[in-house]
Amino acid sequence: MRAVVSSCAGPLCAAARSVIPSIWRGKYFSSGNEPAENNPVTPMLRHLMYKIKSTGPITVAEYMKEVLTNPAKGYYVYRDMLGEKGDFITSPEISQIFGELLGIWFISEWMATGRSVAFQLVELGPGRGTLVGDILRVFSQLGSVLKNCDISIHLVEVSQKLSEIQALTLIEEKVPLEQNAGSPVYMKGVTKSGIPIFWYRDLQDVPKGYSFYLAHEFFDVLPVHKFQKTPQGWREVFVDVDPEVSDKLRFVLAPCATPAAAFIQHDETRDHVEVCPDAGVIIQELSQRIALTGGAALIADYGHDGTKTDTFRGFCGHKLHDVLIAPGTADLTADVDFSYLRRMAQGKVASLGPIKQQTFFKNMGIDVRLKVLLDKSDEPLMRQQLLHGYDMLMNPEKMGERFNFFALLPHQRLHGGRHQMNACQSKTSAFPVAGFSELAWQ
Ligand SMILES: C[S@@+](CC[C@H](N)C(=O)[O-])C[C@H]1O[C@@H](n2cnc3c(N)ncnc32)[C@H](O)[C@@H]1O
């Protein structure tokens, strides 16, 4: 790990990153009760009003799913919402160091678990492909370490628009949609650095095999059910048409218990909770795969450890946005409950974290990486971008404390196995997992 960090002193990334202070999506926002200054009747609002009038109020989970990923009108499907001109900005778009350190994390895990002859890198919700691009640059720079390893890239993406942008970022050309309707791969190609790359709509379709999984700001867009504690017990929050204002939606409480209430813990002490069954399904799938074929999953997102209540919020044009206004024009998100992810993984694999982004990157050697990049750059604008990016990622008031890292690993990875660190350590000890404990510089 130490050797890997110090040898990775590659060139600066050609793509300039943002220095304009844009909003990131980790801010808390109480939803649904903002004054509706401007409530355009969007095609999505019309669709939802029709649906609710025909079949009754819908759960917040169904609302989120329709608004974000409806194949015809979903927010994510046909637009590029990332960056200064979009609605929000994410870490890989702010600083190249983010992806570089994650690239080192995967190589470190690959080395610690016996340098398999092949691995798949699977990213869930890859945005513009910037993160994979930065990781692949590290893989190229460390080509001598990875030289006999057969690597392939697998992207799980529902957005047609973003998958086109990912292809342009990673392959540098447009990729046609696959003609074979029966194939789960909807696009494929070869990256600039010669690595095969495939696109899927669902994790289930990614081939099983030794894999590293990555999800950054992916779990927070999965649909959540919301529940309010009442004297009658837990009641689910639904979205209904407002009978008093035309073309307006409102939140209502279900009159009786609903099936999703089964996800609430018996000893729950909060009076409002959000649960995300889709996240549970994905964690179970990842856990099963990792237990069966090895590898690891690294999940980075804003979230909490089973303590927060109402975190559902919207973003539009770098501003907080009422979640019920002009649906389909704004991003919707809710903090990830890492305690739930941990429960869903339990038994099959071990989990580490959540730990704060600031701590994870300190442990990964971010200060050394920043210094290397600053020493190599004489351009004032580039230096300013690097320092701004570092501040955004690490400052506890910005992303440093709101964002967390969480990992899933095979049990034997944490509890010892066939690999020894050095002669002083016992046979059953394992390499420490990078990022989750302090690096011992020697
Ligand atoms: C908030 S963006 C994060 C993008 C990127 N990971 C980053 O950090 O810049 C969420 C990503 O997940 C994708 N996405 C949303 N829901 C999805 C789903 N159900 N399955 C697969 N991808 C999804 C979006 O299209 C987008 O690429």
Side-chain angles (χ1 to χ4, degrees), residues 264-386:
I264 301 173
Q265 295 282 89
H266 293 300
D267 54 357
E268 182 56 66
T269 54
R270 289 169 288 175
D271 59 5
H272 188 100
V273 291
E274 293 166 342
V275 290
C276 184
D278 285 13
V281 170
I282 292 173
I283 290 291
Q284 286 178 342
E285 171 76 17
L286 291 175
S287 305
Q288 218 154 24
R289 285 169 173 249
I290 292 168
L292 210 68
T293 53
L298 189 61
I299 293 162
D301 226 308
Y302 40 79
H304 57 92
D305 217 9
T307 51
K308 286 199 179 169
T309 55
D310 176 14
T311 72
F312 184 38
R313 59 199 183 277
F315 287 95
C316 185
H318 298 273
K319 290 199 180 87
L320 291 162
H321 179 95
D322 188 312
V323 291
L324 297 182
I325 299 289
T329 63
D331 186 29
L332 301 179
T333 171
D335 279 18
V336 174
D337 179 351
F338 289 100
S339 69
Y340 175 66
L341 303 195
R342 195 164 43 239
R343 277 202 305 282
M344 291 298 108
Q346 219 165 37
K348 291 194 197 81
V349 288
S351 65
L352 283 179
I355 72 165
K356 301 212 175 307
Q357 173 160 299
Q358 186 192 39
T359 313
F360 181 85
F361 281 136
K362 273 269 179 230
N363 291 343
M364 288 299 299
I366 191 170
D367 294 322
V368 177
R369 182 61 183 152
L370 178 70
K371 185 172 182 317
V372 168
L373 290 173
L374 287 174
D375 287 350
K376 280 183 166 268
S377 168
D378 344 298
E379 269 186 58
L381 183 63
M382 187 59 91
R383 291 174 66 84
Q384 192 196 343
Q385 278 176 3
L386 288 166

Side-chain angles (χ1 to χ4, degrees), residues 223-243:
V224 293
H225 290 265
K226 287 172 78 66
F227 293 91
Q228 180 66 43
K229 195 179 263 175
T230 72
Q232 292 73 42
W234 288 104
R235 292 291 179 266
E236 184 160 4
V237 179
F238 276 67
V239 176
D240 195 4
V241 172
D242 190 329

